[in-house]
Amino acid sequence: MSKTHFGFETIDEQEKQQRVRGVFDSVASKYDVMNDVMSAGLHRLWKREMVAALAPRAGQRFLDVAGGTGDIAFRILKETPLPLREGLGGGVVSTGETPIASPASPPPTQPSPSRGEGIHVTICDINEAMLNEGKNRAIDMNKREGLEWVTGNAEALPFPDNYFDGYTIAFGIRNVTHIDKALAEAHRVLKIGGKFLCLEFSHIPNATLAKLYDLYSFNVIPWAGEKITHDRAAYQYLVESIRRFPTQEKFAAMMKAAGFGNVHYRNMTAGVVALHSGRKL
């Protein structure tokens, strides 16, 4: 039977999916709180940079994988520019700060467009507990339009070929059993010209900073996980899984092998995380 890793532990491949699901079942309700604690809030800046690189526009369709809590999806809706609306006499009205050919008197029945209008984001996660957290957040934030929640595996996505304008995955791809299969599926479901963006914990090139980061992550993060989520083991796995993830160069090579072009990566916070990007050509 084929083997894989679960953190620093070697296990049967068939076990990993269930073990990862157990980790996120345990921490789902405190997942975003722990993200703030572990990164001192920096994860918000990293995610903002990823959505900025995505550059969403009204009329597009996006897939966010392993994003059950909805954090990236909500950001995509928020960052989508306001759509243009047709006015009287064929004029066009923009709800931005600089109107384009505004009519003298807009029709009173015409609704005001809103951020995220005309855009569709599908959130796909293998973990139902995480999806439930996201759905509840969407209800609390009154964000129901333009969102779809789907239980699915990154290695076998339940979507047709050439369907999405963009694919995002933040801090999730290191948890899949076969990264190459997840990349192949991402390539399959994207339209020609579609963007692939992956935000993931990575490797710090500076040896001194890497040692300091190891001291912090192996000692503070599991301790914080125990205090906040009452599950030290889940965050011990998190730290170990980061060390198992390919280097920036190796992951870029995997993206190219999956068929992506214009492959680039950008280190953030000294390489604690890297933003990988590519296009389906």
Side-chain angles (χ1 to χ4, degrees), residues 126-146:
I126 200 169
N127 189 279
E128 292 188 10
M130 296 287 279
L131 285 169
N132 288 334
E133 284 294 317
K135 291 175 186 176
N136 289 335
R137 287 182 65 193
I139 292 170
D140 292 342
M141 298 166 67
N142 196 30
K143 291 183 180 291
R144 306 190 190 189
E145 297 297 322

Side-chain angles (χ1 to χ4, degrees), residues 25 29 31 37 55-56 79 109 160 169 180 184-185 196 206-207 212 221 230 251:
D25 280 345
S29 64
Y31 181 74
V37 171
E79 295 303 319
T109 58
I169 183 166
D180 56 342
E185 280 292 273
F196 171 86
N206 181 285
L212 292 173
I221 291 177
H230 309 295
F251 187 69

Side-chain angles (χ1 to χ4, degrees), residues 7 10 79 111 152 156 165-166 176 183 213 237 246 256 264 272:
T10 300
E79 295 303 319
D165 296 286
V176 305
L183 288 172
Y213 180 55
Y237 159 74
K256 292 176 183 177
H264 303 281
V272 170

Side-chain angles (χ1 to χ4, degrees), residues 4-203:
T4 189
H5 56 81
F6 181 79
F8 290 162
E9 184 181 354
T10 300
I11 61 173
D12 292 336
E13 280 189 350
Q14 294 179 345
E15 285 185 58
K16 182 164 182 176
Q17 186 172 302
Q18 187 61 38
R19 295 276 293 270
V20 170
R21 182 182 288 116
V23 165
F24 288 96
D25 280 345
S26 175
V27 305
S29 64
K30 298 291 185 180
Y31 181 74
D32 287 327
V33 173
M34 272 300 295
N35 282 344
D36 277 327
V37 171
M38 289 189 300
S39 70
L42 286 173
H43 76 102
R44 299 174 184 272
L45 300 178
W46 300 332
K47 292 171 180 175
R48 186 172 69 188
E49 287 295 307
M50 181 170 75
V51 174
L54 184 65
R57 300 191 307 273
Q60 292 185 313
R61 183 184 291 119
F62 296 99
L63 174 64
D64 183 46
V65 175
T69 61
D71 198 18
I72 298 299
F74 299 148
R75 290 172 187 273
I76 291 173
L77 294 182
K78 181 180 178 181
E79 295 303 319
T80 301
L82 293 168
L84 299 178
R85 280 293 179 81
E86 292 187 0
L88 290 176
V92 177
V93 180
S94 167
T95 55
E97 293 183 358
T98 306
I100 303 174
S102 176
S105 178
T109 58
Q110 182 170 310
S112 298
S114 58
R115 295 276 177 187
E117 184 174 321
I119 200 166
H120 189 276
V121 185
T122 299
I123 304 97
C124 182
D125 200 303
I126 200 169
N127 189 279
E128 292 188 10
M130 296 287 279
L131 285 169
N132 288 334
E133 284 294 317
K135 291 175 186 176
N136 289 335
R137 287 182 65 193
I139 292 170
D140 292 342
M141 298 166 67
N142 196 30
K143 291 183 180 291
R144 306 190 190 189
E145 297 297 322
L147 297 174
E148 180 182 10
W149 308 84
V150 176
T151 304
N153 188 336
E155 296 181 32
L157 294 170
F159 309 109
D161 298 352
N162 306 305
Y163 190 68
F164 295 100
D165 296 286
Y167 174 117
T168 57
I169 183 166
F171 307 116
I173 204 164
R174 74 180 185 282
N175 296 313
V176 305
T177 305
H178 305 99
I179 293 175
D180 56 342
K181 290 184 179 180
L183 288 172
E185 280 292 273
H187 188 272
R188 178 184 66 80
V189 301
L190 279 171
K191 298 177 182 178
I192 299 297
K195 294 181 181 179
F196 171 86
L197 289 166
C198 174
L199 186 65
E200 189 53 87
F201 290 111
S202 202
H203 299 268

Side-chain angles (χ1 to χ4, degrees), residues 259-276:
F260 287 104
N262 296 340
V263 172
H264 303 281
Y265 71 83
R266 176 160 59 95
N267 286 333
M268 293 189 282
T269 316
V272 170
V273 301
L275 176 62
H276 292 265

